[in-house]
Amino acid sequence: MTEPIVRFEGISKSYDGRTYAVRDLNLAIAPGEFLTLLGPSGSGKTTSLMMLAGFETPTEGRIWLEGRDVARVPPHRRGLGMVFQNYALFPHLTVGENVAFPLSVRRVAAAEIATRVGRALDMVRLTGLSERRPAQLSGGQQQRVALARALIYEPRLVLLDEPLGALDKQLREEMQDELKRLHATLAVTMVYVTHDQSEALTLSDRIAVFRAGSLEQLGTPRDLYDTPANAFVAGFIGESNRLGVTATEGGAVRFGDVIIRGTPMTPLAPGTSVVLSLRPEHLTIDPDPASHANQADAVVEALTYLGDHTRVRLSFWGHENWIAKFPAERDRPGLVRGARLRVGFRAVDARVFAAMD
C-alpha cells in the first residue's frame, strides 16, 4: 500500500476547552489524489484544512506530512501551496510579480523566476497578461493567478479553501474544468474545502463528509451517493425524499397507515422512529408490479423543466412533497399539473436509516 502523503491521527481542536470544532479526526490522504472536505458551515472542514496548512494548532493529535510530524511546524516551513476564496493577490504588484512572489522570497535567481512565471501562466492559460494588475482582471482570471502562484514552486500538496465561492455559476464551472485539467496534468495532491456538494461530486477522487466536527463518511462520489452511511450523508449528498417513519418487522416501515418496503442500513428495532430516504430518480411512472414493491396513485402538483430532465412534485399517501426526476421526453403528454399517475419504487432503493440528533 502506498504511504499516505498526509495523515491526521486523532486530531481534535477546541478553542475554549469545552466544545470541539474538530473531534478525533483520523484521515489518510494518498499521493496524487483530489480529496474534498465537504460539509455545512461549522462542520469542521475549514478548521481541518487550516490545521494542515499550519494556521491553526491541534489541541490533540498529530498531523503527518510525508512521514514528518508537522502539527507544530509553522506554515512557511511545510512547503504547501495555498489558494484562498478571496484570491489574496497583492493589488500593487503585476500578475507576473504576484506569481513570482513565492520564488522571490526563496531568493531564486531572476532568470529562473522569469522562466517559471512564464511556464506557470501558460499552465493556467494567462499567457500575455503578466504586466496587468489584479484589478484589470476578471474574477476567473484572478483565481487563475492565485492558482499559478500556488503551483509555481511545484509543491506536492496544494490546499484550496472554497476557491470558487466568489465566482458566478458559469465561471465556477469553467474553473472546475480547469482544476480537473491541472490535477490530471500535474499529478499533484489537492485538498479542497467546499460546502457545495455538486462541486465536490464533480471534482473529487474521494470526499470526506463532515458534520458537527466529526467525519461522517469517506468515499468516492459514487460511494457516497449510492451507499450513504447514515441519514445525514443521504440528505447532504444529492437530493432525497426523506420521510420520518416507524420501523416494523422484516425491513418494512410504517408511514401513517401505509406499509413501505425498504432496505434497513443498520439493524432497527420495531417501533423505533427512523428515516426513509429515496432518490428522486428512483420514483417510476407505471411501475412494474414484479419489481416495484411500493406503488401508489399520485397527483402531479408542480413541474419544473430543467433541460435534460423534468423535476416533478407529487402527492400521494397524504404527503404532498414527493420529488421525482424524469427524463425530459417531449412525447409524454400525460405529465402535466393535476394529472393522476401510477408511481412506484423498489425496496432496494428505499434506504432506511436510524434517526439522527
Side-chain angles (χ1 to χ4, degrees), residues 153-171:
Y153 61 96
E154 300 174 354
R156 292 195 59 202
L157 178 63
V158 177
L159 311 183
L160 303 104
D161 184 20
E162 304 213 38
L164 310 184
L167 303 181
D168 63 35
K169 183 177 185 296
Q170 183 175 346
L171 271 176

Side-chain angles (χ1 to χ4, degrees), residues 179-349:
L179 280 170
K180 291 180 74 171
R181 181 185 68 82
L182 287 170
H183 179 249
T185 301
L186 301 174
V188 65
T189 307
M190 291 186 173
V191 182
Y192 190 96
V193 163
T194 184
H195 63 274
D196 185 327
Q197 49 93 3
S198 63
E199 189 167 272
L201 292 172
T202 298
L203 290 170
S204 312
D205 295 321
R206 290 191 303 161
I207 301 170
V209 181
F210 283 76
R211 172 180 177 262
S214 296
L215 177 59
E216 294 289 327
Q217 188 173 359
L218 174 67
T220 66
R222 182 173 292 276
D223 289 339
L224 298 183
Y225 190 86
D226 290 345
T227 55
N230 54 45
F232 173 78
V233 177
F236 195 74
I237 300 291
E239 188 175 15
S240 289
N241 294 290
R242 292 163 57 88
L243 288 179
V245 293
T246 303
T248 66
E249 300 287 350
V253 297
R254 182 184 295 277
F255 180 64
D257 295 330
V258 178
I259 297 297
I260 305 174
R261 300 294 172 185
T263 302
M265 304 312 293
T266 57
L268 302 171
T272 57
S273 296
V274 294
V275 176
L276 180 142
S277 176
L278 177 73
R279 298 291 186 193
E281 62 269 24
H282 290 151
L283 265 169
T284 301
I285 296 177
D286 298 327
D288 176 7
S291 58
H292 291 67
N294 306 289
Q295 299 196 23
D297 292 318
V299 176
V300 176
E301 300 288 349
L303 300 96
T304 305
Y305 177 72
L306 294 169
D308 61 339
H309 73 277
T310 300
R311 188 174 186 271
V312 184
R313 182 164 62 85
L314 300 166
S315 173
F316 60 92
W317 292 341
H319 184 66
E320 297 183 352
N321 290 306
W322 292 93
I323 301 299
K325 293 179 180 178
F326 302 125
E329 300 172 5
R330 295 182 179 179
D331 58 350
R332 197 191 288 272
L335 194 59
V336 295
R337 184 177 180 184
R340 295 184 177 274
L341 308 170
R342 187 70 174 172
V343 298
F345 53 92
R346 302 182 306 168
V348 70
D349 295 325

Side-chain angles (χ1 to χ4, degrees), residues 103-126:
L103 302 182
S104 300
V105 298
R106 289 169 172 79
R107 301 185 183 280
V108 176
E112 175 69 9
I113 288 177
T115 299
R116 291 173 67 174
V117 166
R119 191 162 61 228
L121 291 177
D122 288 345
M123 181 173 55
V124 297
R125 305 182 187 185
L126 290 178

